[in-house]
Each structure stands twice: as C-alpha cells, then as structure tokens.
Amino acid sequence: MRAFVYERASSEAAAIHAASMLAQSPEAQGRPPVEYLAGGTTLVDLMKLDVMRPAKVVDLGALAGVHDVISVAPGGVRLGAMVKMSAAADHPEIVKNYPVVAQSLQLAASAQLRNMATLGGNVLQRTRCPYFRDTSWIACNKRDPGSGCAAMDGLNRQHAILGGSPDCIATYPGDFAQSLIALDATVSVAGASGFRTIPFAGLHRLPGATPNAETVLAPGDLITGFNVPAGPWTRRSLYLKVRDRQSYEFALASAAVAIDMVGSKVREARIALGGVATIPWRSREAEDTLAGKILTETVAEAAARAAFADARPRAHNAFKIALGQSTLVRALLQAAELEG
Ligand SMILES: Cc1cc2nc3c(=O)[nH]c(=O)nc-3n(C[C@H](O)[C@H](O)[C@H](O)COP(=O)(O)OP(=O)(O)OC[C@H]3O[C@@H](n4cnc5c(N)ncnc54)[C@H](O)[C@@H]3O)c2cc1C
Ligand code: SF4
C-alpha cells in the first residue's frame, strides 16, 4: 500500500476542512486528494490493491455519535450516513414499514461486513469490474482516464446492459441504492460551501466519456444522511436479488419494487433494477406500463419487457436481459401478494 496521511476528524466541520483544503493544495497533485474512511470495507480493500491512491485519509469514526442515528416519523425515515448496514437492516420499523430498504441491506455482503460498513460508504462503493480492480490490466477508463476499456471486448459476463457508454460498461454493484432510488429518497450533503439536499437519483453519474467521475459530489463533500419519504407504496415493497450463489455475492440481477394498489389494480409502482446497469437504475418505463392495470403475470411481463427495451448487451452478458426480466416479474408478483 502507498504511504498516505491519516487524520482523525474531531467534528464534521474539521473533516470537511481537512478534505477541502487538501483538494486545493499542491500536495495533492497527480493523486486523488482525499478519501473519507468510514467502515473501510471498500476503501482499504482498493488501497491495498493500489486502485485507490489517496494522498490523505480522513477517518470519520469520531462523527459516528452524530450521524449514526435512525429516526422514524410519520412522514418518513432519516438514516444517518454512519449508520451500520446491519443496524438499518434489522431496525424493526424499517423491516415492517420499508421492507425493500431492510431487504436490500440484509441481502448484501456478509454479516461481518454489514456490522462494519456504513450506509454513506455503501452508496459510494466502487464497481467490481475485474479489470478495474486489477492494475495489471492497463486499459480501464475508470481507473486511468483515456486508457481504454478492457471489458468491452474482454470477459463481460458481469457487466451492464443498461446505461453503458463506449468508454465503460461497469455495473454499479450496490443493493441499498436500488431501494433508495425506487422510494425517491434524498441525500443530505455537507461541503465547503454549506449544506444541500439532492435527490438520490441525481447522485450518480452515467459513465459517458468520463467514467472516472462517478457522482456529482465535489472534493470534501460529506454525505450526512438519507431521507426516505413514506408513501402508500412503502409497505408493499420488496427487494429480490439473483446471484451466482445464495449469499455473500453481488447481484447479477435484482429488482426493488414498491406498489400502491387498490384491490388488484396498480395505482402507482416504483421500480429500480440492480446488477444490470452502470448506476442505480429507476425504470419509469416499467412503472408507466403498470399504472392503472390489474397486476397479472402478462402485465408484469409487459412491464419487464419495457424495462429492458433499451438493453445493449455485449458478448457474454445478453443472458441478463432474460434474467433481469424474470427477476422483475417475480418481484412484482410477490409484492402484489403483500399487505399494503
Ligand atoms: C467481499 C465483499 C462483498 C460485498 N458484497 C456486497 C453486496 O452484496 N451488496 C452490496 O451492496 N455491497 C456489498 N459489498 C460492499 C460493501 O457493502 C461496501 O464496501 C460498504 O458498504 C462500504 O461502506 P464503508 O463504510 O466500509 O465505506 P468505506 O470503505 O469507508 O468508504 C467507501 C467510499 O465512500 C466514501 N465515503 C464513506 N463515507 C462517506 C461519507 N459519509 N461521505 C462521503 N464519502 C464517504 C469513502 O471516501 C470511500 O471512497 C461487499 C464488500 C465486500 C468487501
Ligand atoms: S468497464 Fe469500466 S471499469 Fe471495467 S475496464 Fe471498462 S472502463 Fe474499466
């Protein structure tokens, strides 16, 4: 691992100051200036692989007491950025009233990782593209802009069929993000110029010509929490994840669904897809197909076809179209059976 400066921030303001100052300093030249350290389960992993090379690491551990709170109110739930994945996954109110959120966390990683990893770090985890994680591959535009993309004509079974560009087809790997985007959550951000709230759907950027720029966050921006609004669809919601093995594995395809129904008719549906796209992926096409319809298998299949109409497979990942469609159909039909 390369040498780096370690600093333990004593307050939120100190963390932002440490991160923002370095971003403008000559010390940072040629290296990404600073990374926050939360649970470290992505960051330390990638530093050891020499994929992430921050000049400075600012430890957020001392902020845990401020930002590890879960507050539930009639209008929604607030999840602090330092909340551990396991704490949110097992919270009784979230399990009962926001099952898609709880399940997206329960089905992620392993118990040990969930006890260590935070929600803020989770949404900013990096892709599992093997060419990104192995520096012996020269061509990776995400790791080294302008170097090319080894996955495009390489082994791309895991890669994205939605939201890709000629420069990158890496899949966004997380699960929790799908539940946030489906439920119209927002993200609270503190930065050098103050506080702001952004829609979760606006946090991640499509790869386009700059796959290295993954989010709209500026250097030093600190995620402080997530707000998930309550809606008539939140209780009838679930997360379905399909992977190569039953546990401790990333999604090949997943679906986060939340449905407001009157009898067997869909009033409004919220749908997000994981494992198949370059960013957390909301499928408005599938939602529009379902609105106002009786939720039969035929209607669910039509919604699934709409969700993948723009899919662009490469040599080894065309199977994800059928897999993603059947995952969504199963998720919709299971959700229809739930109590609203
Ligand atoms: C073997 C393995 C299997 C896994 N399986 C899954 C899975 O199935 N599903 C899944 O969703 N995830 C999975 N993960 C990923 C895991 O969930 C993430 O590594 C974890 O959630 C990251 O959180 P962290 O607190 O450890 O972040 P860290 O590693 O500390 O940080 C990650 C990144 O986020 C930044 N960051 C952290 N907190 C903040 C903040 N508050 N504001 C701004 N920036 C911040 C850091 O600077 C860093 O760039 C797996 C990980 C491993 C190692
Ligand atoms: S898909 Fe993206 S992350 Fe993977 S090699 Fe290509 S540019 Fe790199």
Side-chain angles (χ1 to χ4, degrees):
M1 192 190 277
R2 288 172 197 245
F4 60 93
V5 175
Y6 171 86
E7 186 171 324
R8 190 170 166 85
S10 55
S11 67
E12 183 181 301
I16 294 165
H17 183 74
S20 316
M21 282 300 103
L22 191 71
Q24 289 143 25
S25 91
E27 195 186 334
Q29 272 183 8
R31 290 177 78 181
V34 70
E35 290 291 336
Y36 289 126
L37 175 70
T41 62
T42 286
L43 180 63
V44 177
D45 199 14
L46 291 176
M47 285 173 72
K48 287 197 277 192
L49 292 171
D50 201 27
V51 172
M52 291 179 80
R53 304 168 177 175
K56 187 177 200 174
V57 168
V58 177
D59 189 341
L60 302 177
L63 312 190
V66 186
H67 293 307
D68 67 353
V69 178
I70 299 176
S71 347
V72 184
V77 59
R78 162 94 184 166
L79 300 161
M82 297 291 287
V83 167
K84 301 287 187 189
M85 289 170 71
S86 52
D90 298 339
H91 192 285
E93 286 286 338
I94 297 176
V95 170
K96 184 173 165 213
N97 293 321
Y98 303 83
V100 65
V101 175
Q103 291 164 16
S104 70
L105 291 161
Q106 285 156 3
L107 294 173
S110 64
Q112 291 91 335
L113 283 158
R114 293 194 295 273
N115 284 337
M116 196 69 201
T118 64
L119 301 182
N122 184 282
V123 300
L124 297 180
Q125 65 180 282
R126 312 292 304 274
T127 183
R128 309 302 289 193
C129 172
Y131 302 105
F132 171 75
R133 291 173 60 84
D134 180 349
T135 56
S136 64
W137 290 93
I138 303 295
C140 176
N141 289 321
K142 194 182 272 300
R143 189 165 24 80
D144 185 10
S147 61
C149 173
M152 212 55 84
D153 296 313
L155 293 173
N156 44 40
R157 175 178 180 272
Q158 299 171 8
H159 289 74
I161 52 174
L162 294 167
S165 76
D167 290 312
C168 182
I169 50 169
T171 312
Y172 174 82
D175 296 298
F176 174 53
Q178 319 305 334
S179 67
L180 292 179
I181 202 167
L183 298 184
D184 277 326
T186 58
V187 192
S188 312
V189 179
S193 49
F195 294 90
R196 66 191 194 279
T197 300
I198 52 178
F200 187 78
L203 178 65
H204 293 87
R205 297 163 53 132
L206 284 164
T210 54
N212 54 309
E214 293 177 348
T215 71
V216 298
L217 297 180
D221 274 353
L222 180 75
I223 295 181
T224 58
F226 307 90
N227 292 300
V228 185
W233 42 78
T234 38
R235 277 195 74 175
R236 185 182 271 118
S237 71
L238 62 81
Y239 188 70
L240 186 67
K241 178 172 175 179
V242 177
R243 40 193 162 167
D244 278 329
R245 57 183 178 200
Q246 185 62 26
S247 72
Y248 199 27
E249 188 55 280
F250 291 87
L252 280 174
S254 71
V257 303
I259 319 179
D260 176 23
M261 296 181 77
V262 202
S264 53
K265 191 188 265 189
V266 176
R267 199 160 18 203
E268 200 171 332
R270 307 298 183 93
I271 296 171
L273 305 172
V276 291
T278 52
I279 55 173
W281 194 263
R282 178 95 178 251
S283 180
R284 303 270 182 192
E285 300 80 1
E287 294 174 7
D288 292 346
T289 306
L290 291 169
K293 307 261 175 49
I294 306 278
L295 185 41
T296 60
E297 189 163 348
T298 308
V299 168
E301 285 168 355
R305 277 194 301 276
F308 287 88
D310 292 333
R312 296 281 176 273
R314 302 290 301 179
H316 310 119
N317 62 2
F319 75 97
K320 283 193 175 185
I321 298 178
L323 185 68
Q325 287 177 345
S326 57
T327 304
L328 178 53
V329 169
R330 248 173 73 201
L332 288 168
L333 296 178
Q334 284 179 17
E337 299 298 317
L338 300 173
E339 270 182 41

